[in-house]
Amino acid sequence: MPSVIFSQQEKPKVALVLSGGGAKGLAHIAVIQTLDSLGIVPDLIVGTSMGSIVGGLYAMGYSGDEIEKIANDADWSDLLGGDISLKNVSVEEKSEYKKYLIEMDIKDGKPKMNSSLLRDQKLREFLAKSTFPVFGISDFDKLPIPFRAVTTDIVNGKEVILKEGSLAVAMRASMSIPSVFEPVEYKNTLLVDGGILNNFPVDVAIDLGADFIIGSNVGGGMLPKEELDKKISNILFQTSMMASNLKNDVNVKLCDILIDHTPYLTHSTGDFNKSEAIYEEGKVATKLNLKAFVELAKTLKPYKQRDHNVPYRKDEIILDTIIYKGISDVNLDLVKARTNIEANKAYTSQELIDRVNRSLGTRMFKKMTFKPVLENGEFGMQLTGYEHSKNQIKGALHYDTNRGVGLILNYTGRNIVGKASRIIFDIDIAEQSKARIQYQKNFTKEKKWWFRNDMLGVLLDQQIFYAGTSIDDIKYNYFQFDNQVNRNFNSLNSYIGAGINYEYTKLKPKVDPDIVGNIFELDNYKFNNLEVNFHYSYNNLDNVFFAKKGTHFYAKVSRSIYNDIYLKTTDPNVEVIDGSTNDFTKLNLFYEKRFQLNKKVTGIIKASTNFTFQDKMSSDDISFDEYGYAAKYFLGGNIRNERNNSFLFPGLKEDELNVSQMMNLSLGVQFTPFSKVYLNPHLNFASVGFGNFDDYIKDAFSPKGNWTEEYETSAIFSTGITASYHSILGPVNFDISYVNKIDKVRLFFSVGLLFNASK
């Protein structure tokens, strides 16, 4: 350890240097807490990668204890790769959010792969909110402790030391691990992780005039041959960090107090879910150097220490101006309408973050950054958008025990036919194929009005069940043309609208009835239905999959204005049925509530009512009760069906039960024992009816029928548990459920992202 003779006239410049190391960098917190306990306040902090995150927070005034709390409270799996919450996505875009595994922009006629594995939206939000008290400080020497963030200019191969600008941006740039996170744009170049060239930047601190170096190192330098032989990832990591590792031994020797954590850390750079354990391990090497820290504290006692507190700032900001950059004219009006940030109006840090996320919720942008600007004496905020190209291709894979394997291909075009518009072509290449075409457009200045035209076609093999047993298969061809005009009450949560919807259903035996007969003596069944509807939707759930909190409510009243049925049997003695059924009106209500009981437990309540009100039959009408099969409700299955009038009920096979009336209640608890692993025990109850509403409602709350054998108001009950894992391919679900009356235990398995129409 170098000896330093301190002048009695001038306080020595003490620097704290924090290395990079991913999750292992959380061990630095123990060092900072020790400095706090001894009253030592550094005069300079230099950090690389995770060291710049911990060091930046310390430099702006947070204590070691406060940084520990920030680290422990953080949801690292969400921060590192998390996207904006579903509740921040525009209502007209929610149905398309998180539907695809791969999304690629088309640039110069070619697909362009993403430059990073993980999205950094949540991380940038976290840094922006944490550094909000110094939002207006652009000179890092004016922070409570002067600070430098070490980064790498990936374009020119140079080390870049950030000393000014946005602290949040500097911290984010310093940890831009190549290919994991996108580089940060800076002065016509791109910045990536500082650890590429200098993971333990003690030399930077010395160049800045430091007299005494406290170095906290979690990087470790070059790995020996024995470690390289263990994993190919070790070889790749050492190759990428070669230049930095070669400097490590030199920088280690320049430290006056070296806290070398590497022998005591048992977790890897990616183990952010072990943050508390890493922090505890950081105490080991720190305590071994306690004597040196005490000696330093005694040496510094005659000198006045820096004031070290987070600068006070009321949690609100008033902007003189808002500057938009990188946003095309076709998208600018929509961004302004969604963010709705006005000059000379006060906003809290969370309000600003939420409003920026609203622009991302339009799905027009890959990311949206914001930073403070000071021009001509005016304090403002610059929003920079990184737009998707007009044309995108997307894809997903899926498998489930009902429908088998499928490959989904998608084309999405934005602003191709008018401003604020979207075109979608979807096809599911599978044994049971599906396809969809959709056009959607926002209009009016505030973009609160929008219309959608959606065409869907499916070719299915439908099992027919009796008393829980499959008794036949039919070909089920379905086409829907849905048109709606909507007006947003709240562009993120709710809208009301009206629509006109056409459905065509065709059923044919899977096997030619001239060769093998079927139980229904069916030759051909066709049903056309045209209806008008009014609907309302409210959705502020926080996630598409495994939501932890929020409410989803949907209501629709629809009226059939034209329907036509054609039925031909194989029995030559039975006449062909061709005509209209008695008219009908439908009322559909759905409610879902998710509420967190604690960090790992979420309660779930779901309820729905679906009624059919039939007009009296005239002499020319065909009975809806007897022949309106395609327009009734289908109950059963574990995953949402792409067709209208289909409702989930675990334990029943998909669309196993066809009913005219239904009330459904589901209760569940979602446990998260480990990151991305979910257990959901559930209870499901339904009261179902097969005839008109008046007959059903009399016994709806005390059903006595047996739904497997009789057409009387009946009760269905199921209970089970679903085990899920949120994988890179999408949710993996395994469900086991028991259903009453048929006394069967049913198993269901699915993986991937499914084809679903917009509902």
Side-chain angles (χ1 to χ4, degrees), residues 18-23 25 28 46-56 147-151 170-177 181 192-196 198-201 241 272:
L18 305 176
S19 77
H28 296 316
V46 180
T48 292
S49 195
M50 195 61 188
S52 75
I53 303 296
V54 176
F147 173 70
R148 298 293 184 270
V150 178
T151 67
M171 294 159 70
R172 165 65 184 83
S174 183
M175 67 168 297
S176 296
I177 304 170
F181 289 117
V192 297
D193 196 304
I196 300 299
N198 199 351
N199 196 49
F200 189 35
M241 297 286 287
F272 282 93

Side-chain angles (χ1 to χ4, degrees), residues 28-76:
H28 296 316
I29 298 172
V31 176
I32 293 172
Q33 287 174 318
T34 300
L35 296 178
D36 289 346
S37 68
L38 295 171
I40 301 171
V41 181
D43 302 289
L44 172 68
I45 298 173
V46 180
T48 292
S49 195
M50 195 61 188
S52 75
I53 303 296
V54 176
L57 294 174
Y58 186 40
M60 64 171 284
Y62 287 109
S63 69
D65 289 345
E66 289 170 327
I67 297 172
E68 180 198 356
K69 187 176 188 309
I70 290 171
N72 288 339
D73 290 347
D75 184 346
W76 290 102

Side-chain angles (χ1 to χ4, degrees), residues 60 83 110 119 175 235 263 276 287 461-462 499 506 517 639 673:
M60 64 171 284
D83 212 334
K110 298 178 181 178
R119 292 181 63 86
M175 67 168 297
I235 296 176
E276 293 183 22
K287 287 179 180 178
D461 290 335
Q462 182 71 51
K506 180 180 179 180
I639 52 179

Side-chain angles (χ1 to χ4, degrees), residues 465-742:
F465 289 84
Y466 177 77
T469 302
S470 177
I471 57 173
D472 221 325
D473 289 317
I474 58 173
K475 291 182 179 180
Y476 191 117
N477 298 343
Y478 175 84
F479 174 78
Q480 175 183 293
F481 185 28
D482 184 51
N483 305 271
Q484 52 184 265
V485 177
N486 301 302
R487 202 271 186 191
N488 294 349
F489 282 147
N490 180 306
S491 294
L492 300 180
N493 297 332
S494 59
Y495 65 90
I496 191 170
I500 183 166
N501 180 64
Y502 168 73
E503 292 176 287
Y504 169 76
T505 303
K506 180 180 179 180
L507 307 180
K508 282 185 70 68
K510 191 173 181 180
V511 179
D512 188 336
D514 291 334
I515 300 174
V516 178
N518 58 82
I519 194 169
F520 302 103
E521 298 184 336
L522 176 67
D523 181 81
N524 204 340
Y525 172 91
K526 299 176 185 177
F527 193 91
N528 295 274
N529 183 41
L530 181 67
E531 65 181 32
V532 294
N533 65 74
F534 296 93
H535 51 262
Y536 169 78
S537 177
Y538 176 89
N539 185 347
N540 74 340
L541 293 174
D542 60 346
N543 281 303
V544 176
F545 306 110
F546 313 113
K548 293 183 177 180
K549 54 186 175 181
T551 302
H552 184 196
F553 175 74
Y554 184 76
K556 182 171 75 170
V557 178
S558 54
R559 174 69 179 176
S560 175
I561 56 176
Y562 169 78
N563 66 77
D564 176 73
I565 184 173
Y566 175 86
L567 174 63
K568 181 183 178 183
T569 71
T570 57
D571 187 343
N573 298 315
V574 177
E575 294 185 2
V576 171
I577 296 174
D578 189 0
S580 297
T581 70
N582 46 317
D583 291 330
F584 53 90
T585 300
K586 288 184 173 182
L587 173 64
N588 308 116
L589 301 172
F590 172 81
Y591 174 81
E592 177 179 357
K593 178 68 177 179
R594 292 182 177 240
F595 48 94
Q596 276 192 286
L597 300 173
N598 58 48
K599 196 172 182 179
K600 293 186 177 247
V601 182
T602 297
I604 305 171
I605 300 173
K606 296 181 184 179
S608 66
T609 57
N610 302 280
F611 301 139
T612 307
F613 303 94
Q614 301 177 40
D615 294 356
K616 289 184 179 181
M617 288 182 59
S618 69
S619 57
D620 297 327
D621 287 337
I622 298 169
S623 171
F624 177 86
D625 279 344
E626 292 186 55
Y627 300 105
Y629 174 86
K632 294 181 181 181
Y633 303 119
F634 295 87
L635 187 64
N638 295 72
I639 52 179
R640 196 181 74 168
N641 196 291
E642 57 276 349
R643 291 166 290 164
N644 273 338
N645 302 324
S646 292
F647 300 92
L648 305 184
F649 199 89
L652 291 182
K653 295 291 188 179
E654 185 176 292
D655 295 348
E656 180 171 345
L657 190 58
N658 183 253
V659 300
S660 301
Q661 321 291 340
M662 176 176 62
M663 290 191 292
N664 190 3
L665 175 65
S666 177
L667 303 175
V669 180
Q670 178 177 281
F671 296 97
T672 313
F674 310 104
S675 176
K676 299 184 179 180
V677 175
Y678 304 89
L679 296 175
N680 178 17
H682 51 79
L683 297 170
N684 310 280
F685 173 82
S687 168
V688 298
F690 303 89
N692 62 55
F693 177 80
D694 291 338
D695 291 337
Y696 165 74
I697 202 63
K698 289 185 295 186
D699 299 318
F701 298 98
S702 56
K704 300 179 178 62
N706 183 343
W707 61 273
T708 62
E709 299 174 358
E710 305 168 8
Y711 289 102
E712 295 182 13
T713 301
S714 303
I716 306 177
F717 171 82
S718 77
T719 183
I721 186 169
T722 305
S724 304
Y725 174 67
H726 202 173
S727 75
I728 192 172
L729 292 175
V732 178
N733 300 306
F734 176 78
D735 181 81
I736 179 169
S737 293
Y738 167 82
V739 188
N740 74 326
K741 300 297 185 183
I742 59 174

Side-chain angles (χ1 to χ4, degrees), residues 90-97 422-424 436-443 449-455 480-486 488 495 498-501 535 537 554 640 756-759:
S90 299
V91 288
E92 65 271 22
E93 293 289 332
K94 288 185 189 288
S95 61
E96 291 301 302
Y97 192 48
R422 184 186 73 191
I423 299 173
I424 288 174
R436 177 179 63 136
I437 302 173
Q438 184 190 96
Y439 177 72
Q440 178 178 289
K441 179 174 172 58
N442 294 78
F443 55 99
W449 287 86
W450 51 284
F451 66 81
R452 176 186 289 167
N453 311 115
D454 196 288
M455 288 187 290
Q480 175 183 293
F481 185 28
D482 184 51
N483 305 271
Q484 52 184 265
V485 177
N486 301 302
N488 294 349
Y495 65 90
I500 183 166
N501 180 64
H535 51 262
S537 177
Y554 184 76
R640 196 181 74 168
N756 284 312
S758 302
K759 287 191 178 182

Side-chain angles (χ1 to χ4, degrees), residues 401-412:
T401 49
N402 291 328
R403 300 298 182 191
V405 179
L407 168 65
I408 301 171
L409 298 177
N410 166 276
Y411 163 78
T412 299

